Amino acid sequence: MSSNKPVIDFYFDFSSPYGYLASTRIDALAARHNRRVTWRPILLGPMFKAAGTAPLTNVPLKGPYSVRDFLRTSRFLKIPYTQPAAFPIGTQNAARVFYWLSDRDETKARQFARACYHTYFAEGVDISPAEKVADIAARLGEERSAVLAAIADPLVKERLKNEVDAALARGVFGSPYLIVDGEPFWGNDRLDQVEAWIETGGF
Amino acid sequence: MSSNKPVIDFYFDFSSPYGYLASTRIDALAARHNRRVTWRPILLGPMFKAAGTAPLTNVPLKGPYSVRDFLRTSRFLKIPYTQPAAFPIGTQNAARVFYWLSDRDETKARQFARACYHTYFAEGVDISPAEKVADIAARLGEERSAVLAAIADPLVKERLKNEVDAALARGVFGSPYLIVDGEPFWGNDRLDQVEAWIETGGF
């Protein structure tokens, strides 16, 4: 494994369109510079509370523009995108299963994350129900019953809560949010700066 | 004059860092594609009220990040930037003088806008006082007393109010905000999409 490569911390909410767009680009970016990416799903709800903000699409004026921007930016980047009918959604089930998988198999956890994002934002299918999350994990070879048990497991819930608290403590307030060598970058829009930062050692 | 070139509407607040960054790039972008830019200073205050939002730097967590991003993005784009000690500021005086000049001489109004932005964001000098705005206009050959009279003129105040109302009616809610052939783009981050939109006729 490549565990001694320097890390890019990649924070995202499974309900975040710009998190999804970044998720399709970040591993290739890291590979170009011999970095590895630590995927860290978080929940935006507690962060919106801390920052006193709201989901973009709930904001007057900004809301309608945002959906237009999700669609247009995905076309600009040539990434498949469908605005989900259910939006935004609670993503604690997907995030719990991610960390549960991650403790055993980081590669599979990442495949699971990509599959969740693809199901929600490329196919437009609501991934908030535990049953749907179990379907996605089952296609990667997991037992449905074990996945459903993990979702309800107090230790797994606690694990996710700790991850969200740790992210908040690092100043994470949005999705995607990347930290590279101590430098924070917010937004899919900042991947160009992330890459330049790595190339130049900071600017 | 090139008045029959198709237009890029460029909305901005003189207190907006990303508006400033975009202002240093938009005319060159337009020239590459035989477009002209209509500069339209607006006031973000009424827009924040309409959208229920607040200046970035007043938002917990986002605030400290934002200042870091203003500085880093300006370095990334190689645009001189100083975070002003007075920030954000009221910009109605600068905006009134802009429209007052614009009715006589669009080129001079644009020079004035560039000078205001440079004074505030490259030199870090507060441009909210009428006296400071008069200084800037005076360096472009205007009579200080005439500038100060314009700032206090009810007709000029009304002119700016109408511009802000018209912008709100078009859905403008931030700075910079550009409209190209009916398509809205919010943010300095979107200049790449603005350019691609013009090149391809929409995507």
Side-chain angles (χ1 to χ4, degrees):
Chain A
M1 281 296 290
S2 50
S3 57
N4 54 357
K5 291 182 187 175
V7 162
I8 298 172
D9 280 316
F10 171 49
Y11 293 93
F12 60 95
D13 186 313
F14 280 113
S15 185
S16 159
Y18 300 122
Y20 160 68
L21 296 178
S23 79
T24 69
R25 308 167 65 201
I26 189 64
D27 286 324
L29 187 160
R32 284 195 288 277
H33 302 285
N34 202 35
R35 295 259 174 164
R36 68 191 172 92
V37 182
T38 309
W39 289 45
R40 294 183 184 275
I42 46 88
L43 304 177
L44 282 177
M47 289 167 187
F48 287 152
K49 200 169 285 181
T53 52
L56 263 179
T57 51
N58 294 2
V59 179
L61 297 175
K62 252 185 212 182
Y65 173 83
S66 295
V67 175
R68 186 177 197 130
D69 192 64
F70 302 156
L71 292 161
R72 188 180 60 213
T73 299
S74 61
R75 293 194 304 270
F76 181 65
L77 297 172
K78 303 191 194 315
I79 298 167
Y81 186 88
T82 301
Q83 180 60 30
F87 182 87
I89 56 169
T91 56
Q92 64 275 19
N93 292 334
R96 284 178 198 155
V97 172
F98 175 92
Y99 286 111
W100 173 72
L101 287 171
S102 172
D103 288 341
R104 274 189 292 129
D105 184 343
E106 226 184 283
T107 304
K108 185 175 272 190
R110 192 173 305 201
Q111 289 171 339
F112 169 78
R114 282 204 202 89
C116 285
Y117 258 153
H118 192 271
T119 302
Y120 189 45
F121 284 116
E123 299 168 24
V125 173
D126 185 357
I127 59 164
S128 60
E131 297 290 339
K132 174 53 68 179
V133 170
D135 289 346
I136 294 170
R139 284 201 295 272
L140 296 169
E142 296 297 315
E143 287 285 350
R144 282 181 58 86
S145 58
V147 176
L148 292 169
I151 286 173
D153 184 339
L155 286 177
V156 177
K157 292 183 184 183
E158 186 68 15
R159 173 74 202 279
L160 173 58
K161 189 180 176 308
N162 291 342
E163 290 283 347
V164 174
D165 288 347
L168 265 170
R170 288 187 88 181
V172 176
F173 58 79
S175 167
Y177 193 99
L178 301 106
I179 302 180
V180 180
D181 304 337
E183 184 73 12
F185 297 86
W186 173 40
N188 176 59
D189 297 326
R190 287 294 173 274
L191 290 195
D192 54 354
Q193 291 191 30
V194 167
E195 187 145 24
W197 194 268
I198 294 172
E199 278 169 358
T200 62
F203 54 82
Chain B
M1 282 296 290
S2 51
S3 58
N4 54 356
K5 290 182 187 173
V7 162
I8 298 172
D9 280 316
F10 171 49
Y11 293 93
F12 61 95
D13 186 313
F14 280 112
S15 185
S16 159
Y18 299 122
Y20 160 67
L21 295 178
S23 79
T24 69
R25 308 166 66 202
I26 189 63
D27 285 324
L29 187 161
R32 284 195 289 278
H33 303 284
N34 202 35
R35 295 256 174 165
R36 69 192 172 90
V37 182
T38 308
W39 289 46
R40 295 182 183 276
I42 45 91
L43 303 177
L44 282 177
M47 288 165 188
F48 287 152
K49 199 169 285 182
T53 53
L56 262 179
T57 51
N58 294 2
V59 178
L61 298 174
K62 251 186 214 184
Y65 173 83
S66 295
V67 174
R68 185 177 198 131
D69 191 65
F70 303 156
L71 291 161
R72 187 179 61 212
T73 300
S74 62
R75 294 195 303 270
F76 181 65
L77 296 172
K78 303 189 194 317
I79 297 168
Y81 186 89
T82 301
Q83 181 60 30
F87 181 86
I89 54 169
T91 55
Q92 64 275 21
N93 291 334
R96 284 178 198 154
V97 171
F98 176 92
Y99 287 112
W100 173 72
L101 287 170
S102 172
D103 288 340
R104 273 189 292 129
D105 184 342
E106 226 183 282
T107 303
K108 185 174 271 190
R110 192 174 302 202
Q111 289 172 339
F112 169 78
R114 281 203 204 89
C116 285
Y117 258 152
H118 192 271
T119 302
Y120 189 44
F121 284 115
E123 299 168 25
V125 174
D126 185 356
I127 60 164
S128 60
E131 297 290 339
K132 175 53 68 179
V133 170
D135 289 347
I136 295 170
R139 285 201 294 273
L140 296 169
E142 297 297 314
E143 287 285 350
R144 281 182 59 87
S145 59
V147 176
L148 292 169
I151 287 173
D153 183 340
L155 285 176
V156 176
K157 291 183 184 182
E158 184 69 16
R159 173 72 201 281
L160 173 59
K161 190 181 175 308
N162 290 342
E163 290 284 346
V164 174
D165 288 347
L168 264 170
R170 288 187 86 181
V172 176
F173 58 80
S175 167
Y177 193 99
L178 302 106
I179 301 180
V180 180
D181 304 338
E183 185 73 11
F185 297 87
W186 173 40
N188 176 60
D189 298 326
R190 287 294 173 273
L191 292 194
D192 54 354
Q193 292 192 29
V194 166
E195 186 145 23
W197 194 268
I198 294 171
E199 278 169 357
T200 61
F203 53 82

